[in-house]
Amino acid sequence: MYKLFIADDEQLVVETLSTMIDWNASGVRIAGTANNGKQALERILQSDPDVVLTDIRMPGMSGLELIRALKERGCKAECIIVSGYSEFEYAKEAIELEAVDYLIKPAELEEVARTVTKAIERLKRKTDPAENRPEQRIAKALDRAVFTDLIVHAKRPSFDRAPYERYGQFAAIVIGSPATHWLERMKNNGVTDALPGFLANRGIVVDLLYEQQKVILLCMAALEESGSLSEILLATAAAFSADGSPDSDDLSLSFGIGPVVSGIMDAHLSFLAADQACQMGLFFGVSVMDGNRWPGITRVSERLLSDWSERIESLTLYEQKEFEELLERWTEWGTGRLIAPVTLKKAGIQWVNRLLDLIEQDYGIKIESVIGDRTRLIDGILEAPDWASLQKQCQDCAQGVQFYLNVTKTTLKEKVVQEIKAYLESHYHENIQLDQLAERFDLNSSYVSNLYSKSTGQTILEYITLLRIQKAKQMLRESSFKISKISQNVGYDNQRYFCQVFKKRVGVSPGQYREDHMIKVEESRSS
Protein backbone atom coordinates (compact mmCIF):
# COMPACT_ATOMS: atom_id res chain seq x y z
CA MET A 1 0.00 0.00 0.00
CA TYR A 2 1.04 3.59 -0.56
CA LYS A 3 1.70 5.73 2.50
CA LEU A 4 0.06 9.15 3.04
CA PHE A 5 1.16 11.81 5.54
CA ILE A 6 -1.22 14.64 6.54
CA ALA A 7 -0.03 17.97 8.00
CA ASP A 8 -2.48 20.70 9.06
CA ASP A 9 -2.56 23.03 12.07
CA GLU A 10 -6.27 22.27 12.59
CA GLN A 11 -6.67 18.90 14.30
CA LEU A 12 -10.26 18.66 13.08
CA VAL A 13 -9.03 18.85 9.48
CA VAL A 14 -6.44 16.15 10.16
CA GLU A 15 -9.03 13.87 11.74
CA THR A 16 -11.54 14.48 8.95
CA LEU A 17 -9.08 13.73 6.18
CA SER A 18 -7.75 10.69 8.06
CA THR A 19 -11.07 9.05 8.94
CA MET A 20 -13.74 10.32 6.53
CA ILE A 21 -12.11 8.96 3.35
CA ASP A 22 -11.91 5.23 2.60
CA TRP A 23 -8.18 5.16 1.97
CA ASN A 24 -8.03 1.37 1.95
CA ALA A 25 -10.17 1.33 -1.17
CA SER A 26 -7.47 3.39 -2.90
CA GLY A 27 -4.65 1.26 -1.61
CA VAL A 28 -3.51 3.95 0.79
CA ARG A 29 -2.79 3.99 4.53
CA ILE A 30 -2.07 6.91 6.84
CA ALA A 31 1.64 6.91 7.70
CA GLY A 32 1.40 9.79 10.17
CA THR A 33 0.03 13.25 10.95
CA ALA A 34 1.30 16.54 12.37
CA ASN A 35 -0.07 19.93 13.44
CA ASN A 36 2.99 22.10 12.72
CA GLY A 37 5.66 22.28 10.05
CA LYS A 38 8.72 21.32 12.09
CA GLN A 39 6.96 18.33 13.61
CA ALA A 40 5.80 17.29 10.13
CA LEU A 41 9.36 17.47 8.73
CA GLU A 42 10.74 15.18 11.44
CA ARG A 43 7.94 12.64 11.15
CA ILE A 44 7.96 12.59 7.34
CA LEU A 45 11.70 11.89 7.27
CA GLN A 46 11.11 9.03 9.73
CA SER A 47 8.03 7.50 8.06
CA ASP A 48 9.09 8.04 4.41
CA PRO A 49 5.58 8.48 2.95
CA ASP A 50 4.76 8.34 -0.76
CA VAL A 51 2.38 11.33 -0.64
CA VAL A 52 2.36 14.39 1.65
CA LEU A 53 -0.84 16.40 2.05
CA THR A 54 -0.04 19.73 3.72
CA ASP A 55 -1.61 23.07 4.59
CA ILE A 56 0.31 26.26 3.71
CA ARG A 57 0.11 28.27 6.92
CA MET A 58 1.29 26.25 9.93
CA PRO A 59 3.26 27.21 13.03
CA GLY A 60 6.98 26.55 12.96
CA MET A 61 7.25 26.09 9.20
CA SER A 62 4.88 26.80 6.34
CA GLY A 63 3.72 24.12 3.95
CA LEU A 64 5.82 25.58 1.14
CA GLU A 65 8.89 25.67 3.42
CA LEU A 66 8.15 22.07 4.40
CA ILE A 67 8.09 20.93 0.76
CA ARG A 68 11.30 22.80 0.04
CA ALA A 69 13.01 21.25 3.11
CA LEU A 70 11.89 17.77 2.10
CA LYS A 71 13.33 18.21 -1.39
CA GLU A 72 16.62 19.44 0.04
CA ARG A 73 16.81 16.26 2.13
CA GLY A 74 16.15 14.04 -0.85
CA CYS A 75 12.56 13.10 -0.01
CA LYS A 76 10.80 11.72 -3.11
CA ALA A 77 7.22 12.06 -1.81
CA GLU A 78 4.62 13.69 -4.04
CA CYS A 79 3.21 16.79 -2.33
CA ILE A 80 -0.31 18.22 -2.38
CA ILE A 81 -1.27 21.57 -0.88
CA VAL A 82 -4.67 22.14 0.72
CA SER A 83 -5.08 25.74 1.80
CA GLY A 84 -7.68 28.32 2.73
CA TYR A 85 -5.65 30.90 0.81
CA SER A 86 -6.05 31.10 -2.95
CA GLU A 87 -3.50 33.84 -3.69
CA PHE A 88 -1.84 33.57 -7.07
CA GLU A 89 1.71 33.79 -5.67
CA TYR A 90 1.13 30.76 -3.44
CA ALA A 91 -0.05 28.69 -6.40
CA LYS A 92 2.86 29.91 -8.49
CA GLU A 93 5.38 28.85 -5.82
CA ALA A 94 3.62 25.50 -5.47
CA ILE A 95 4.13 24.96 -9.20
CA GLU A 96 7.81 25.84 -8.89
CA LEU A 97 8.09 23.19 -6.17
CA GLU A 98 6.33 20.70 -8.49
CA ALA A 99 3.36 20.17 -6.21
CA VAL A 100 0.79 17.76 -7.63
CA ASP A 101 -2.07 20.18 -7.01
CA TYR A 102 -3.16 23.23 -5.02
CA LEU A 103 -6.59 22.65 -3.48
CA ILE A 104 -8.61 25.47 -1.94
CA LYS A 105 -10.35 24.90 1.40
CA PRO A 106 -12.95 23.74 2.02
CA ALA A 107 -11.87 21.03 -0.39
CA GLU A 108 -14.38 18.26 -1.02
CA LEU A 109 -13.32 14.88 0.35
CA GLU A 110 -13.82 13.28 -3.05
CA GLU A 111 -11.56 15.90 -4.61
CA VAL A 112 -8.87 15.21 -2.01
CA ALA A 113 -9.12 11.45 -2.63
CA ARG A 114 -8.89 11.97 -6.41
CA THR A 115 -5.85 14.22 -6.02
CA VAL A 116 -4.06 11.64 -3.84
CA THR A 117 -4.83 9.02 -6.50
CA LYS A 118 -3.42 11.41 -9.11
CA ALA A 119 -0.27 11.80 -6.99
CA ILE A 120 0.14 8.03 -6.83
CA GLU A 121 -0.30 7.74 -10.60
CA ARG A 122 2.32 10.42 -11.03
CA LEU A 123 4.60 8.49 -8.71
CA LYS A 124 4.17 5.42 -10.90
CA ARG A 125 4.81 7.31 -14.12
CA LYS A 126 8.10 8.67 -12.86
CA THR A 127 9.63 5.44 -14.10
CA ASP A 128 8.48 6.42 -17.62
CA PRO A 129 9.83 9.92 -18.41
CA ALA A 130 7.91 10.06 -21.69
CA GLU A 131 4.62 10.11 -19.82
CA ASN A 132 5.73 12.35 -16.98
CA ARG A 133 4.51 15.82 -17.96
CA PRO A 134 4.09 17.79 -14.74
CA GLU A 135 3.64 21.10 -16.53
CA GLN A 136 0.32 19.89 -17.92
CA ARG A 137 -1.01 18.59 -14.61
CA ILE A 138 0.15 21.63 -12.64
CA ALA A 139 -1.38 24.08 -15.09
CA LYS A 140 -4.79 23.36 -13.59
CA ALA A 141 -3.59 24.57 -10.18
CA LEU A 142 -2.37 27.81 -11.72
CA ASP A 143 -5.64 28.26 -13.61
CA ARG A 144 -7.63 27.75 -10.42
CA ALA A 145 -5.61 30.39 -8.58
CA VAL A 146 -5.99 32.86 -11.45
CA PHE A 147 -9.70 32.15 -11.64
CA THR A 148 -10.17 32.71 -7.89
CA ASP A 149 -8.10 35.89 -7.74
CA LEU A 150 -9.72 37.40 -10.83
CA ILE A 151 -13.35 36.41 -10.35
CA VAL A 152 -13.78 36.10 -6.56
CA HIS A 153 -11.23 38.51 -5.11
CA ALA A 154 -11.32 41.14 -7.92
CA LYS A 155 -7.54 41.05 -8.30
CA ARG A 156 -5.74 41.47 -11.62
CA PRO A 157 -3.31 38.56 -11.92
CA SER A 158 -1.10 38.05 -14.95
CA PHE A 159 -2.38 35.39 -17.34
CA ASP A 160 -2.81 34.75 -21.05
CA ARG A 161 -5.98 36.60 -22.09
CA ALA A 162 -5.90 35.45 -25.71
CA PRO A 163 -8.19 32.41 -25.19
CA TYR A 164 -10.87 34.71 -23.75
CA GLU A 165 -10.82 37.28 -26.55
CA ARG A 166 -13.02 35.09 -28.72
CA TYR A 167 -15.94 35.64 -26.31
CA GLY A 168 -17.94 38.85 -26.11
CA GLN A 169 -20.19 37.94 -23.18
CA PHE A 170 -19.28 36.78 -19.67
CA ALA A 171 -21.60 36.07 -16.75
CA ALA A 172 -21.29 34.26 -13.43
CA ILE A 173 -23.61 31.77 -11.77
CA VAL A 174 -23.27 31.16 -8.03
CA ILE A 175 -25.00 28.12 -6.54
CA GLY A 176 -25.64 27.54 -2.83
CA SER A 177 -27.87 25.42 -0.64
CA PRO A 178 -29.01 25.28 3.00
CA ALA A 179 -28.94 21.47 2.89
CA THR A 180 -26.27 19.44 4.67
CA HIS A 181 -23.56 17.82 2.52
CA TRP A 182 -25.15 19.46 -0.48
CA LEU A 183 -21.96 19.65 -2.53
CA GLU A 184 -21.45 15.89 -2.28
CA ARG A 185 -25.11 15.26 -3.08
CA MET A 186 -24.97 17.68 -5.99
CA LYS A 187 -22.01 15.79 -7.43
CA ASN A 188 -23.67 12.43 -6.78
CA ASN A 189 -26.79 13.63 -8.58
CA GLY A 190 -24.63 14.51 -11.57
CA VAL A 191 -25.60 18.18 -11.52
CA THR A 192 -22.02 19.48 -11.66
CA ASP A 193 -21.33 17.33 -14.71
CA ALA A 194 -24.66 17.99 -16.40
CA LEU A 195 -24.63 21.79 -16.03
CA PRO A 196 -21.54 22.48 -18.23
CA GLY A 197 -22.79 19.98 -20.81
CA PHE A 198 -26.25 21.53 -20.85
CA LEU A 199 -24.76 24.98 -21.44
CA ALA A 200 -22.20 23.72 -23.96
CA ASN A 201 -25.06 22.47 -26.14
CA ARG A 202 -26.26 26.09 -26.24
CA GLY A 203 -22.91 27.51 -27.28
CA ILE A 204 -21.70 28.50 -23.79
CA VAL A 205 -18.28 27.57 -22.38
CA VAL A 206 -18.07 27.07 -18.59
CA ASP A 207 -15.24 27.22 -16.04
CA LEU A 208 -16.32 25.73 -12.70
CA LEU A 209 -14.90 26.36 -9.22
CA TYR A 210 -15.77 25.33 -5.66
CA GLU A 211 -15.17 28.24 -3.28
CA GLN A 212 -16.46 29.09 0.22
CA GLN A 213 -19.12 26.37 0.22
CA LYS A 214 -20.49 27.55 -3.10
CA VAL A 215 -20.25 26.51 -6.72
CA ILE A 216 -19.17 29.25 -9.11
CA LEU A 217 -19.57 28.98 -12.86
CA LEU A 218 -18.00 31.49 -15.21
CA CYS A 219 -20.04 31.33 -18.41
CA MET A 220 -18.52 32.63 -21.66
CA ALA A 221 -20.23 33.00 -25.00
CA ALA A 222 -20.04 34.65 -28.39
CA LEU A 223 -23.76 34.86 -29.06
CA GLU A 224 -25.29 37.15 -31.64
CA GLU A 225 -27.92 38.66 -29.34
CA SER A 226 -26.59 40.46 -26.26
CA GLY A 227 -29.53 39.53 -24.08
CA SER A 228 -29.60 35.87 -24.99
CA LEU A 229 -26.90 34.79 -22.50
CA SER A 230 -28.90 36.06 -19.51
CA GLU A 231 -32.04 34.35 -20.83
CA ILE A 232 -30.22 31.05 -21.32
CA LEU A 233 -28.67 31.17 -17.83
CA LEU A 234 -31.99 31.97 -16.15
CA ALA A 235 -33.68 29.13 -18.02
CA THR A 236 -30.82 26.77 -17.12
CA ALA A 237 -31.04 27.70 -13.44
CA ALA A 238 -34.79 27.08 -13.47
CA ALA A 239 -34.25 23.70 -15.10
CA PHE A 240 -31.62 22.57 -12.59
CA SER A 241 -33.15 24.02 -9.43
CA ALA A 242 -35.23 21.78 -7.15
CA ASP A 243 -38.44 23.12 -8.64
CA GLY A 244 -37.36 22.28 -12.15
CA SER A 245 -35.71 18.95 -11.33
CA PRO A 246 -38.06 16.59 -9.51
CA ASP A 247 -35.43 13.83 -9.46
CA SER A 248 -32.88 15.88 -7.54
CA ASP A 249 -33.12 13.88 -4.28
CA ASP A 250 -35.05 16.79 -2.69
CA LEU A 251 -31.86 18.86 -2.85
CA SER A 252 -32.84 22.54 -2.67
CA LEU A 253 -30.45 24.75 -4.65
CA SER A 254 -30.40 28.53 -5.00
CA PHE A 255 -28.99 29.97 -8.22
CA GLY A 256 -27.74 33.56 -8.37
CA ILE A 257 -27.37 34.78 -11.95
CA GLY A 258 -24.96 37.67 -12.54
CA PRO A 259 -25.37 40.35 -15.22
CA VAL A 260 -23.59 39.98 -18.54
CA VAL A 261 -20.28 41.86 -18.94
CA SER A 262 -18.26 42.26 -22.12
CA GLY A 263 -14.74 41.39 -20.94
CA ILE A 264 -13.01 38.79 -18.78
CA MET A 265 -11.46 41.53 -16.61
CA ASP A 266 -14.95 42.67 -15.56
CA ALA A 267 -16.18 39.16 -14.74
CA HIS A 268 -15.82 39.80 -11.01
CA LEU A 269 -18.63 42.39 -11.27
CA SER A 270 -20.95 39.67 -12.53
CA PHE A 271 -19.78 37.37 -9.74
CA LEU A 272 -20.44 39.95 -7.01
CA ALA A 273 -24.03 40.46 -8.17
CA ALA A 274 -24.53 36.70 -8.61
CA ASP A 275 -23.16 36.03 -5.13
CA GLN A 276 -25.47 38.61 -3.54
CA ALA A 277 -28.38 37.19 -5.52
CA CYS A 278 -27.52 33.67 -4.34
CA GLN A 279 -27.35 34.82 -0.71
CA MET A 280 -30.71 36.53 -1.09
CA GLY A 281 -32.15 33.39 -2.66
CA LEU A 282 -30.86 31.25 0.21
CA PHE A 283 -32.26 33.71 2.77
CA PHE A 284 -35.74 33.85 1.24
CA GLY A 285 -35.84 30.27 -0.03
CA VAL A 286 -35.97 31.26 -3.71
CA SER A 287 -34.55 28.89 -6.32
CA VAL A 288 -33.46 31.48 -8.88
CA MET A 289 -32.51 35.13 -8.26
CA ASP A 290 -31.57 37.49 -11.07
CA GLY A 291 -28.49 39.55 -10.16
CA ASN A 292 -29.59 42.23 -12.63
CA ARG A 293 -32.09 43.28 -9.95
CA TRP A 294 -29.40 43.76 -7.31
CA PRO A 295 -28.57 47.46 -7.96
CA GLY A 296 -32.28 48.32 -7.69
CA ILE A 297 -32.65 46.26 -4.51
CA THR A 298 -29.64 48.05 -3.03
CA ARG A 299 -31.11 51.49 -3.77
CA VAL A 300 -34.49 50.53 -2.32
CA SER A 301 -32.82 49.02 0.75
CA GLU A 302 -30.81 52.17 1.46
CA ARG A 303 -33.85 54.42 1.11
CA LEU A 304 -36.09 52.23 3.27
CA LEU A 305 -33.43 51.90 5.99
CA SER A 306 -32.88 55.67 6.06
CA ASP A 307 -36.61 56.36 6.48
CA TRP A 308 -36.87 53.56 9.02
CA SER A 309 -33.99 54.92 11.13
CA GLU A 310 -35.59 58.37 11.27
CA ARG A 311 -38.93 56.87 12.30
CA ILE A 312 -37.35 54.73 15.03
CA GLU A 313 -35.37 57.63 16.50
CA SER A 314 -38.48 59.82 16.59
CA LEU A 315 -40.12 57.50 19.14
CA THR A 316 -39.57 58.85 22.64
CA LEU A 317 -42.12 56.77 24.58
CA TYR A 318 -43.13 53.14 24.33
CA GLU A 319 -46.49 52.72 22.65
CA GLN A 320 -47.50 49.16 21.83
CA LYS A 321 -49.53 50.12 18.76
CA GLU A 322 -46.68 52.09 17.17
CA PHE A 323 -44.21 49.26 17.56
CA GLU A 324 -46.70 46.69 16.29
CA GLU A 325 -47.34 48.81 13.19
CA LEU A 326 -43.60 49.12 12.56
CA LEU A 327 -43.18 45.35 12.92
CA GLU A 328 -45.97 44.77 10.41
CA ARG A 329 -44.30 47.16 7.96
CA TRP A 330 -40.97 45.40 8.39
CA THR A 331 -42.66 42.03 7.86
CA GLU A 332 -44.17 43.28 4.60
CA TRP A 333 -40.69 44.17 3.35
CA GLY A 334 -39.38 40.70 4.08
CA THR A 335 -42.42 38.86 2.77
CA GLY A 336 -42.31 40.87 -0.45
CA ARG A 337 -38.52 40.38 -0.80
CA LEU A 338 -38.17 44.10 -1.42
CA ILE A 339 -35.06 44.57 0.68
CA ALA A 340 -31.63 42.97 1.04
CA PRO A 341 -31.26 40.47 3.92
CA VAL A 342 -28.49 42.50 5.61
CA THR A 343 -30.73 45.58 5.56
CA LEU A 344 -33.63 43.59 7.00
CA LYS A 345 -31.37 42.53 9.85
CA LYS A 346 -30.16 46.09 10.48
CA ALA A 347 -33.77 47.33 10.56
CA GLY A 348 -34.77 44.50 12.89
CA ILE A 349 -31.91 45.30 15.28
CA GLN A 350 -32.82 49.00 15.34
CA TRP A 351 -36.44 48.10 16.10
CA VAL A 352 -35.50 45.70 18.90
CA ASN A 353 -32.99 48.08 20.50
CA ARG A 354 -35.43 51.01 20.47
CA LEU A 355 -38.21 48.85 21.86
CA LEU A 356 -36.07 47.62 24.74
CA ASP A 357 -34.54 51.04 25.48
CA LEU A 358 -37.93 52.75 25.75
CA ILE A 359 -39.41 50.00 27.91
CA GLU A 360 -36.44 50.25 30.27
CA GLN A 361 -36.90 54.02 30.34
CA ASP A 362 -40.69 54.10 30.74
CA TYR A 363 -41.15 51.14 33.09
CA GLY A 364 -37.85 51.14 34.95
CA ILE A 365 -37.27 47.50 34.05
CA LYS A 366 -33.86 45.90 33.79
CA ILE A 367 -34.64 44.42 30.40
CA GLU A 368 -32.30 41.44 30.85
CA SER A 369 -34.72 40.14 33.50
CA VAL A 370 -37.37 39.91 30.77
CA ILE A 371 -35.50 38.84 27.62
CA GLY A 372 -32.22 37.51 28.98
CA ASP A 373 -28.91 38.71 27.51
CA ARG A 374 -29.62 41.47 24.97
CA THR A 375 -26.29 40.88 23.19
CA ARG A 376 -27.23 37.27 22.57
CA LEU A 377 -30.57 38.37 21.10
CA ILE A 378 -28.86 40.82 18.73
CA ASP A 379 -26.27 38.20 17.71
CA GLY A 380 -29.12 35.80 16.95
CA ILE A 381 -30.70 38.35 14.62
CA LEU A 382 -27.39 38.98 12.85
CA GLU A 383 -26.79 35.26 12.38
CA ALA A 384 -30.33 34.35 11.29
CA PRO A 385 -29.86 32.04 8.27
CA ASP A 386 -33.23 32.76 6.65
CA TRP A 387 -36.25 35.03 6.69
CA ALA A 388 -38.43 32.69 8.76
CA SER A 389 -35.96 32.50 11.65
CA LEU A 390 -35.26 36.27 11.55
CA GLN A 391 -38.97 37.07 11.61
CA LYS A 392 -39.58 34.65 14.48
CA GLN A 393 -36.83 36.17 16.64
CA CYS A 394 -38.24 39.69 16.36
CA GLN A 395 -41.83 38.55 16.87
CA ASP A 396 -40.87 36.40 19.87
CA CYS A 397 -39.10 39.39 21.42
CA ALA A 398 -42.16 41.62 20.97
CA GLN A 399 -44.54 38.99 22.34
CA GLY A 400 -42.32 38.17 25.32
CA VAL A 401 -41.94 41.81 26.34
CA GLN A 402 -45.62 42.60 25.89
CA PHE A 403 -46.68 39.55 27.88
CA TYR A 404 -44.44 40.66 30.73
CA LEU A 405 -45.87 44.17 30.67
CA ASN A 406 -49.48 42.98 30.48
CA VAL A 407 -48.97 40.81 33.55
CA THR A 408 -46.97 43.24 35.69
CA LYS A 409 -47.63 46.85 34.68
CA THR A 410 -50.96 47.17 36.59
CA THR A 411 -49.42 46.24 39.94
CA LEU A 412 -45.78 47.11 39.42
CA LYS A 413 -46.02 50.80 40.37
CA GLU A 414 -47.97 50.31 43.60
CA LYS A 415 -45.77 47.45 44.68
CA VAL A 416 -42.55 49.34 43.99
CA VAL A 417 -43.73 52.48 45.80
CA GLN A 418 -44.74 50.53 48.92
CA GLU A 419 -41.43 48.65 48.96
CA ILE A 420 -39.48 51.89 48.58
CA LYS A 421 -41.39 53.56 51.42
CA ALA A 422 -40.84 50.56 53.70
CA TYR A 423 -37.14 50.58 52.93
CA LEU A 424 -36.82 54.33 53.56
CA GLU A 425 -38.66 54.07 56.87
CA SER A 426 -36.06 51.53 58.04
CA HIS A 427 -32.97 53.20 56.56
CA TYR A 428 -33.77 56.93 56.62
CA HIS A 429 -30.79 57.56 58.93
CA GLU A 430 -28.33 56.15 56.36
CA ASN A 431 -26.67 57.93 53.44
CA ILE A 432 -29.11 56.76 50.77
CA GLN A 433 -28.04 57.23 47.13
CA LEU A 434 -30.66 57.15 44.38
CA ASP A 435 -28.68 54.85 42.09
CA GLN A 436 -28.06 52.40 44.94
CA LEU A 437 -31.74 52.48 45.83
CA ALA A 438 -32.70 51.79 42.20
CA GLU A 439 -30.17 48.96 41.97
CA ARG A 440 -31.63 47.38 45.11
CA PHE A 441 -35.00 47.15 43.40
CA ASP A 442 -33.48 46.20 40.04
CA LEU A 443 -34.88 49.35 38.40
CA ASN A 444 -33.70 52.39 36.49
CA SER A 445 -32.79 55.32 38.79
CA SER A 446 -34.71 57.94 36.81
CA TYR A 447 -37.73 55.66 36.71
CA VAL A 448 -37.64 55.17 40.50
CA SER A 449 -37.47 58.91 41.08
CA ASN A 450 -40.30 59.76 38.66
CA LEU A 451 -42.50 56.89 39.80
CA TYR A 452 -42.23 57.80 43.48
CA SER A 453 -42.88 61.49 42.84
CA LYS A 454 -45.96 60.86 40.69
CA SER A 455 -47.39 58.27 43.11
CA THR A 456 -46.85 60.14 46.41
CA GLY A 457 -46.68 63.80 45.42
CA GLN A 458 -43.26 64.23 46.99
CA THR A 459 -39.71 63.33 46.06
CA ILE A 460 -37.71 60.58 47.74
CA LEU A 461 -35.45 63.20 49.32
CA GLU A 462 -38.47 65.04 50.70
CA TYR A 463 -39.79 61.82 52.27
CA ILE A 464 -36.38 61.01 53.79
CA THR A 465 -36.22 64.53 55.23
CA LEU A 466 -39.74 64.16 56.65
CA LEU A 467 -38.83 60.88 58.35
CA ARG A 468 -35.65 62.38 59.80
CA ILE A 469 -37.41 65.48 61.17
CA GLN A 470 -40.18 63.36 62.70
CA LYS A 471 -37.63 61.18 64.47
CA ALA A 472 -35.61 64.21 65.57
CA LYS A 473 -38.71 65.82 67.09
CA GLN A 474 -39.46 62.60 68.98
CA MET A 475 -35.92 62.43 70.36
CA LEU A 476 -35.95 66.11 71.32
CA ARG A 477 -39.17 65.51 73.29
CA GLU A 478 -38.34 62.17 74.88
CA SER A 479 -34.54 62.11 75.39
CA SER A 480 -31.78 64.18 76.91
CA PHE A 481 -29.38 63.57 74.00
CA LYS A 482 -27.40 66.54 72.85
CA ILE A 483 -28.53 68.05 69.59
CA SER A 484 -25.28 66.95 67.91
CA LYS A 485 -26.08 63.34 68.89
CA ILE A 486 -29.65 63.59 67.65
CA SER A 487 -28.35 65.06 64.37
CA GLN A 488 -26.09 62.04 63.84
CA ASN A 489 -28.80 59.56 64.86
CA VAL A 490 -31.21 60.79 62.21
CA GLY A 491 -28.59 60.86 59.43
CA TYR A 492 -27.00 64.33 59.52
CA ASP A 493 -23.27 64.38 60.15
CA ASN A 494 -23.23 68.19 60.03
CA GLN A 495 -25.10 69.64 63.05
CA ARG A 496 -25.29 73.09 61.53
CA TYR A 497 -26.95 71.76 58.40
CA PHE A 498 -29.35 69.68 60.54
CA CYS A 499 -30.40 72.82 62.43
CA GLN A 500 -31.00 74.67 59.18
CA VAL A 501 -33.19 71.89 57.79
CA PHE A 502 -35.05 71.48 61.07
CA LYS A 503 -35.86 75.19 61.39
CA LYS A 504 -36.97 75.35 57.77
CA ARG A 505 -39.36 72.42 58.25
CA VAL A 506 -40.60 73.07 61.82
CA GLY A 507 -40.30 76.85 62.05
CA VAL A 508 -38.05 76.90 65.10
CA SER A 509 -34.56 75.64 65.93
CA PRO A 510 -34.08 72.22 67.54
CA GLY A 511 -33.12 73.90 70.83
CA GLN A 512 -36.20 76.11 70.81
CA TYR A 513 -38.40 73.14 69.89
CA ARG A 514 -37.04 71.17 72.88
CA GLU A 515 -37.45 74.14 75.24
CA ASP A 516 -41.04 74.77 74.14
CA HIS A 517 -41.90 71.11 74.29
CA MET A 518 -40.36 70.57 77.77
CA ILE A 519 -42.30 73.55 79.13
CA LYS A 520 -45.54 72.11 77.85
CA VAL A 521 -44.73 68.72 79.34
CA GLU A 522 -43.95 70.22 82.74
CA GLU A 523 -47.16 72.26 82.69
CA SER A 524 -49.21 69.19 81.89
CA ARG A 525 -47.59 67.27 84.75
CA SER A 526 -48.13 70.03 87.32
CA SER A 527 -51.79 70.29 86.49
Side-chain angles (χ1 to χ4, degrees), residues 36 81 113 122 249 332 401 436 451 462 465 476 501 520:
N36 68 71
I81 292 174
R122 177 175 171 177
D249 188 28
E332 289 174 0
V401 168
Q436 295 174 347
L451 172 63
E462 287 173 341
T465 302
L476 287 167
V501 173
K520 292 178 182 178

Side-chain angles (χ1 to χ4, degrees), residues 272-335:
L272 291 174
D275 190 40
Q276 294 290 353
C278 178
Q279 291 181 36
M280 195 162 181
L282 289 171
F283 186 80
F284 290 115
V286 179
S287 299
V288 181
M289 289 290 294
D290 186 356
N292 285 289
R293 294 179 53 204
W294 186 250
I297 291 172
T298 301
R299 287 193 296 272
V300 171
S301 298
E302 290 174 352
R303 177 176 56 80
L304 290 177
L305 185 61
S306 177
D307 294 344
W308 176 266
S309 299
E310 290 181 6
R311 180 75 181 102
I312 288 290
E313 290 303 317
S314 70
L315 301 177
T316 57
L317 295 173
Y318 171 70
E319 293 290 345
Q320 181 181 353
K321 184 179 179 181
E322 285 186 334
F323 276 92
E324 286 180 347
E325 289 175 351
L326 282 171
L327 187 59
E328 289 176 4
R329 180 181 174 190
W330 177 79
T331 302
E332 289 174 0
W333 292 346
T335 304

